[in-house]
Amino acid sequence: MTENTQQQPASNPELPTQYAPAQVEGKLYERWVERGYFSADPKSEKPPYTIVIPPPNVTGSLHLGHAFQHTLMDALTRRKRMQGYEALWLPGMDHAGIATQNKVEQQLAEEGKSRHDLGREEFVERVWQWKEEYGGKILGQMRRLGDGVDWSRERFTMDEGLSRAVQTIFKKLYDDELIYRAERIINWCPRCLTAISDIEVDYQDDNGELVSIKYGEGDETVVVATTRVETMLGDTAVAVHPDDERYAHLIGKRIKLPLTDRTIPVVADTHVDPEFGTGAVKVTPAHDPNDFAIGQRHGLESMTIMDEHAVITAHGPFQGLDRFEARSTIVEALRQQGRIVAEKRPYVHSVGHCSRCKTTIEPRLSLQWWVKVGPLAQAAGDAVRDGRVKIHPADMSKRYFDWVDNMHDWCISRQLWWGHRIPVWYGPNGEVVCVGPDEQPPTGEGWTQDSDVLDTWFSSGLWPFSTLGWPEKTPDLEKFYPTDVLLTGHDIIFFWVARMMMFGLYAMEGEAPFHTIALTGLVRDEFGKKMSKSNPNSVDPLDWMDAYGSDAVRFTLARGANPGADVPIGEDWVQASRNFANKIWNATRFALMNGATVEGELPDPAQMSATDRWILSRLNTVVAEVDAYYDDYQFAKLSDSLYHFAWDEVFDWYVELSKTTYFAGGEAAKVSARVLGEVLDVTLRLLHPIVPFVTETLWTTLTGKESVVIADWPADSGFRDEAAEREIELVQRVVTEVRRFRSDQGLQPAQKVPARLTLDGTALAPHEAAIRQLLRLQPEGEGFSATATLPVAGATVALDLSGTIDVGAERKRLAKDLAAAEKEKSQAHAKLGNEAFLAKAPDNVVEKIRTRLANAEADIERIMAQLDRLPQA
């Protein structure tokens, strides 16, 4: 890599009149990659800085959520690289077991086939083919966004190295008795035909029905209510509270289960709430987690009455019916027997759905593999409590602790073919053998491997260290682990963050996988609504990149990124960011045309004007602010600080205040040209991590150096000049106040007005030429008449408005506005004084009227001041 200190004379220092992102972004990115700027060297003596990308699904494409988080990760990594760190941002993808298998099964369905027609081996090969053809689309889109990742280290959760890591940790957990196999209630998806974890279930309110059913006969009857009538076929008890006197005579007895030839016991269990419903509940241990627990306590039989497709398997007239068909059929059969006591429909209640395919989840008793999370979750909680890992923002810690402190054992087996196959073999005589990566699986007649694969989150939980070569002690692992920051959405604390914490601490001997967990919010539309592919508010970020440039999209996202908070975004805001990029371009182009330079040392402050000293003082303040905001992950604040400094202070004030100096020429112009060059140099470097493309083009043109990617990050030199800052603040006050007055009088910005400036005895005196230039104020000529006088900042600005405005017409216009404002004030005041109105009106209506009153009073004050300033007609 070429040292960035090498000066390369710019053969053409001029810039095109307009910035065209599409013509530069792709070329710049490929140049960065070819020159190895993003490659990290484990042999480097530089301190490491590591971020591993949250691996997007191989089925995915870039959406605004990706673009948002990638922008922030890229900004962090680019800054650290410029600060002299050996920065590694490691890319990769997740195999996304269920989602990817579904994609390929959909393809097969279009061919009239299923995976069973192909068989396991051929089907898995078909998925690999799909991955090669369609997978990784998002990786090309990452290049469009400008992601500065080390492509030489790209990983996939099912590549050879990561497969070895998965098998290693499974074996280690198994040997430590932290992985076990047991029959328990799991969340079953009848569409995906696999178990899914609790956190992969989306709950939503559905319209169902609540049916009350009479069990038993005569004096020995109990009424139970259920929303899942079909499961009564698997009831093996009715439970009541032991202290409920209504049912004391029934406890221990057996009652008739309707529609069957079975009797079931009445058991007493403290889980039952006697105040809820009838105080009696049906118990179906094979199809409900709470019922399963009751069954365990009372030794009840567990009867599975549905198959994997949620079709009824219980013997009788309902056998072969889908669960929802069975529900209505059973209700009708109960109704005919007079067993229905009450029906409530619609009955809105929370129902679990598969997060992948939206199918209603069916709780099901099943033999599965589990991780005993107790000690692992304890370690994950302790690492945050003792400060080894910090969560940012801190108030998000509660959500983390709520999860890790109450985590249930994790079901890790999935009934899929695509994924890491569980490394366990079963022998002909009941033997169970777990095989590590360097061990030979048992062979011989009757030995078979477990057919299930591991939950996708099992392998992605190893991501921070498996991607660096673990379980081998590689140079990468030695250099770049633990990683520095995990930047991800707060919505996957449970899915991914906690898993990585548990596995990292376990596998890496107590060393957490990252120092900081920086949690972001979710991207929403400009009205705060969630974006999704099924909604019309969904946006393809590539469309915005095509229209406005990648920098505009990145800057918009960063400017909305407050820690942990959701990010609203609209196209108008991207347009505004495009305008900002154009402003940077045009201002730098103007500066280059007027001799701005970075050559030579900065002049001594004694040679500088107050304007020069002011902008350098402000520049150093901003450098310090931006550093503090970066260290606190305050992307919105640092972006806003840079925006206002660049646009307002550098381009709108410093450049404009210095124009008279440039045009006058001489030594002062050379000093200001060098100061302007310095300010642009530092400002472009500060902006680079957020808007890399436009800053690269401008900075290399300005400095003649190789690339801003490998430039030094600006440091606060400590230079401050409070006197110069106060002096320029006075200039700004004068210009702002007179501009406001001109606008109030209806003068056009370019319209010239004769004026007398009395600046003697103030710090404003040296700035008279600049003030006149900014305000379009001509020298007072013969016949000058001060028709309006403005005292401001210790100075006086007298304006001759005769001939520029029709004073009489202006007074009539203002008088009309004043009357309207006074009427508004009177109406609002009357309503707020009406006690009867205040007693009935909603709070928001009253608040609106108070706001109207305040606005009217402010308008009256403003208009009166304008009238006072006008000359007499």
Short mmCIF file of all heavy atoms in Angstrom, two decimals, residues 20 108 131 133 161-162 195 240 277 294 300 311 323 352 360 385 434 595 599 630 684 691 703 727 733 787 830 846:
data_model
loop_
_atom_site.label_atom_id
_atom_site.label_comp_id
_atom_site.label_asym_id
_atom_site.label_seq_id
_atom_site.Cartn_x
_atom_site.Cartn_y
_atom_site.Cartn_z
N ALA A 20 -21.54 14.21 -10.39
CA ALA A 20 -22.35 13.13 -10.95
C ALA A 20 -21.95 11.83 -10.27
O ALA A 20 -20.99 11.16 -10.68
CB ALA A 20 -22.14 13.02 -12.46
N LEU A 108 -38.74 -26.31 -6.64
CA LEU A 108 -39.09 -27.69 -6.95
C LEU A 108 -40.59 -27.84 -7.18
O LEU A 108 -41.03 -28.59 -8.06
CB LEU A 108 -38.64 -28.61 -5.82
CG LEU A 108 -37.13 -28.83 -5.68
CD1 LEU A 108 -36.82 -29.64 -4.43
CD2 LEU A 108 -36.57 -29.53 -6.92
N LYS A 131 -27.57 -21.45 -4.07
CA LYS A 131 -26.74 -20.45 -3.34
C LYS A 131 -25.73 -19.82 -4.29
O LYS A 131 -25.51 -18.59 -4.27
CB LYS A 131 -26.04 -21.13 -2.16
CG LYS A 131 -25.25 -20.18 -1.27
CD LYS A 131 -23.77 -20.23 -1.56
CE LYS A 131 -22.98 -19.30 -0.66
NZ LYS A 131 -21.55 -19.23 -1.02
N GLU A 133 -25.98 -19.53 -7.52
CA GLU A 133 -26.62 -18.77 -8.59
C GLU A 133 -27.30 -17.50 -8.09
O GLU A 133 -27.18 -16.44 -8.68
CB GLU A 133 -27.65 -19.66 -9.31
CG GLU A 133 -28.29 -18.99 -10.51
CD GLU A 133 -29.20 -19.92 -11.28
OE1 GLU A 133 -29.26 -21.13 -10.93
OE2 GLU A 133 -29.85 -19.46 -12.24
N GLY A 161 -14.47 -24.10 7.19
CA GLY A 161 -13.95 -23.66 8.48
C GLY A 161 -15.03 -23.49 9.52
O GLY A 161 -14.87 -23.90 10.69
N LEU A 162 -16.16 -22.88 9.12
CA LEU A 162 -17.23 -22.67 10.09
C LEU A 162 -17.92 -23.98 10.45
O LEU A 162 -18.40 -24.14 11.58
CB LEU A 162 -18.23 -21.63 9.57
CG LEU A 162 -17.88 -20.18 9.98
CD1 LEU A 162 -16.60 -19.72 9.32
CD2 LEU A 162 -19.01 -19.24 9.61
N ALA A 195 -39.30 -27.73 14.01
CA ALA A 195 -39.38 -26.97 15.26
C ALA A 195 -38.77 -25.60 15.04
O ALA A 195 -37.85 -25.44 14.23
CB ALA A 195 -38.63 -27.70 16.37
N VAL A 240 -58.08 -28.33 38.48
CA VAL A 240 -58.71 -27.28 39.28
C VAL A 240 -57.73 -26.90 40.38
O VAL A 240 -56.78 -27.63 40.67
CB VAL A 240 -60.04 -27.76 39.89
CG1 VAL A 240 -61.05 -28.10 38.81
CG2 VAL A 240 -59.82 -28.95 40.83
N GLY A 277 -62.29 -17.55 34.38
CA GLY A 277 -63.27 -18.43 33.75
C GLY A 277 -64.04 -19.22 34.78
O GLY A 277 -64.50 -18.70 35.80
N ILE A 294 -48.13 -29.53 33.87
CA ILE A 294 -49.10 -30.14 34.78
C ILE A 294 -49.04 -31.67 34.66
O ILE A 294 -49.05 -32.40 35.66
CB ILE A 294 -50.53 -29.63 34.46
CG1 ILE A 294 -50.65 -28.14 34.79
CG2 ILE A 294 -51.56 -30.43 35.26
CD1 ILE A 294 -51.98 -27.52 34.39
N LEU A 300 -49.39 -37.67 34.13
CA LEU A 300 -50.44 -37.87 33.14
C LEU A 300 -49.87 -38.40 31.83
O LEU A 300 -48.72 -38.11 31.46
CB LEU A 300 -51.19 -36.56 32.88
CG LEU A 300 -51.87 -35.91 34.10
CD1 LEU A 300 -52.46 -34.57 33.69
CD2 LEU A 300 -52.94 -36.83 34.67
N VAL A 311 -52.59 -32.47 10.97
CA VAL A 311 -53.77 -33.25 10.59
C VAL A 311 -54.10 -34.20 11.74
O VAL A 311 -53.20 -34.83 12.32
CB VAL A 311 -53.52 -34.04 9.29
CG1 VAL A 311 -54.65 -35.02 9.01
CG2 VAL A 311 -53.35 -33.07 8.13
N ARG A 323 -56.48 -29.43 11.22
CA ARG A 323 -56.83 -28.96 12.58
C ARG A 323 -57.97 -27.94 12.56
O ARG A 323 -58.82 -27.94 13.45
CB ARG A 323 -55.60 -28.35 13.25
CG ARG A 323 -54.92 -27.25 12.44
CD ARG A 323 -53.68 -26.71 13.11
NE ARG A 323 -52.89 -25.93 12.14
CZ ARG A 323 -51.93 -25.08 12.48
NH1 ARG A 323 -51.64 -24.87 13.77
NH2 ARG A 323 -51.25 -24.44 11.57
N GLY A 352 -49.59 -17.43 18.09
CA GLY A 352 -48.23 -17.48 17.56
C GLY A 352 -48.20 -17.90 16.10
O GLY A 352 -48.94 -18.80 15.68
N THR A 360 -49.82 -20.51 11.39
CA THR A 360 -50.11 -20.61 12.82
C THR A 360 -49.30 -21.76 13.44
O THR A 360 -49.32 -22.89 12.93
CB THR A 360 -51.62 -20.85 13.06
OG1 THR A 360 -52.34 -19.76 12.49
CG2 THR A 360 -51.92 -20.96 14.54
N ARG A 385 -22.80 -7.10 33.58
CA ARG A 385 -22.91 -6.53 34.93
C ARG A 385 -21.56 -6.06 35.47
O ARG A 385 -21.48 -5.04 36.15
CB ARG A 385 -23.52 -7.56 35.88
CG ARG A 385 -25.01 -7.78 35.67
CD ARG A 385 -25.61 -8.64 36.77
NE ARG A 385 -27.06 -8.70 36.62
CZ ARG A 385 -27.70 -9.66 35.95
NH1 ARG A 385 -27.00 -10.63 35.39
NH2 ARG A 385 -29.01 -9.64 35.85
N CYS A 434 -21.48 -38.93 20.03
CA CYS A 434 -21.25 -37.58 19.48
C CYS A 434 -19.84 -37.53 18.92
O CYS A 434 -18.88 -37.88 19.62
CB CYS A 434 -21.45 -36.52 20.56
SG CYS A 434 -21.20 -34.84 19.96
N GLY A 595 -7.67 29.66 -5.51
CA GLY A 595 -6.34 29.48 -4.98
C GLY A 595 -6.22 28.75 -3.67
O GLY A 595 -5.14 28.73 -3.06
N GLU A 599 -0.56 23.56 0.49
CA GLU A 599 0.89 23.57 0.41
C GLU A 599 1.49 24.48 1.48
O GLU A 599 0.99 25.58 1.72
CB GLU A 599 1.34 24.03 -0.97
CG GLU A 599 0.96 23.04 -2.08
CD GLU A 599 1.45 23.51 -3.45
OE1 GLU A 599 2.17 24.54 -3.49
OE2 GLU A 599 1.12 22.87 -4.45
N TYR A 630 -18.40 10.27 18.07
CA TYR A 630 -18.07 8.94 17.57
C TYR A 630 -17.87 7.96 18.72
O TYR A 630 -18.37 6.83 18.70
CB TYR A 630 -16.80 8.98 16.72
CG TYR A 630 -17.04 9.01 15.22
CD1 TYR A 630 -16.64 10.10 14.46
CD2 TYR A 630 -17.65 7.95 14.57
CE1 TYR A 630 -16.85 10.14 13.09
CE2 TYR A 630 -17.86 7.98 13.20
CZ TYR A 630 -17.46 9.07 12.47
OH TYR A 630 -17.68 9.09 11.12
N LEU A 684 -13.20 17.71 4.89
CA LEU A 684 -13.43 16.57 4.01
C LEU A 684 -13.01 15.27 4.68
O LEU A 684 -13.67 14.23 4.53
CB LEU A 684 -12.68 16.76 2.69
CG LEU A 684 -13.21 17.87 1.78
CD1 LEU A 684 -12.25 18.13 0.62
CD2 LEU A 684 -14.60 17.51 1.25
N VAL A 691 -19.65 10.08 4.12
CA VAL A 691 -19.87 10.30 2.68
C VAL A 691 -18.55 10.07 1.94
O VAL A 691 -17.85 11.01 1.57
CB VAL A 691 -20.45 11.71 2.40
CG1 VAL A 691 -21.90 11.75 2.81
CG2 VAL A 691 -19.69 12.80 3.15
N THR A 703 -5.65 18.02 -2.45
CA THR A 703 -4.34 17.78 -1.85
C THR A 703 -3.34 17.17 -2.82
O THR A 703 -2.12 17.26 -2.59
CB THR A 703 -4.47 16.82 -0.66
OG1 THR A 703 -4.91 15.52 -1.14
CG2 THR A 703 -5.46 17.35 0.36
N GLU A 727 -15.88 38.18 17.87
CA GLU A 727 -15.88 39.22 16.84
C GLU A 727 -16.74 38.80 15.64
O GLU A 727 -17.57 39.58 15.15
CB GLU A 727 -14.44 39.49 16.39
CG GLU A 727 -14.28 40.65 15.45
CD GLU A 727 -12.82 41.00 15.22
OE1 GLU A 727 -12.02 40.98 16.19
OE2 GLU A 727 -12.47 41.29 14.06
N ARG A 733 -24.39 38.60 13.73
CA ARG A 733 -25.60 39.23 14.27
C ARG A 733 -26.04 40.40 13.40
O ARG A 733 -27.24 40.56 13.11
CB ARG A 733 -25.35 39.70 15.71
CG ARG A 733 -25.40 38.59 16.74
CD ARG A 733 -25.07 39.12 18.11
NE ARG A 733 -25.96 40.19 18.52
CZ ARG A 733 -25.75 40.98 19.57
NH1 ARG A 733 -24.66 40.82 20.31
NH2 ARG A 733 -26.62 41.93 19.88
N THR A 787 -33.85 56.46 6.00
CA THR A 787 -35.28 56.26 6.25
C THR A 787 -35.54 55.13 7.26
O THR A 787 -36.66 54.98 7.74
CB THR A 787 -35.99 55.92 4.94
OG1 THR A 787 -35.38 54.76 4.36
CG2 THR A 787 -35.88 57.06 3.96
N ALA A 830 -60.51 34.45 23.87
CA ALA A 830 -61.89 34.25 24.29
C ALA A 830 -62.16 32.78 24.61
O ALA A 830 -62.83 32.46 25.61
CB ALA A 830 -62.84 34.74 23.21
N VAL A 846 -57.14 22.10 23.43
CA VAL A 846 -56.79 23.26 24.26
C VAL A 846 -55.35 23.68 23.99
O VAL A 846 -55.04 24.87 23.87
CB VAL A 846 -56.99 22.94 25.76
CG1 VAL A 846 -56.49 24.09 26.63
CG2 VAL A 846 -58.45 22.65 26.05
#
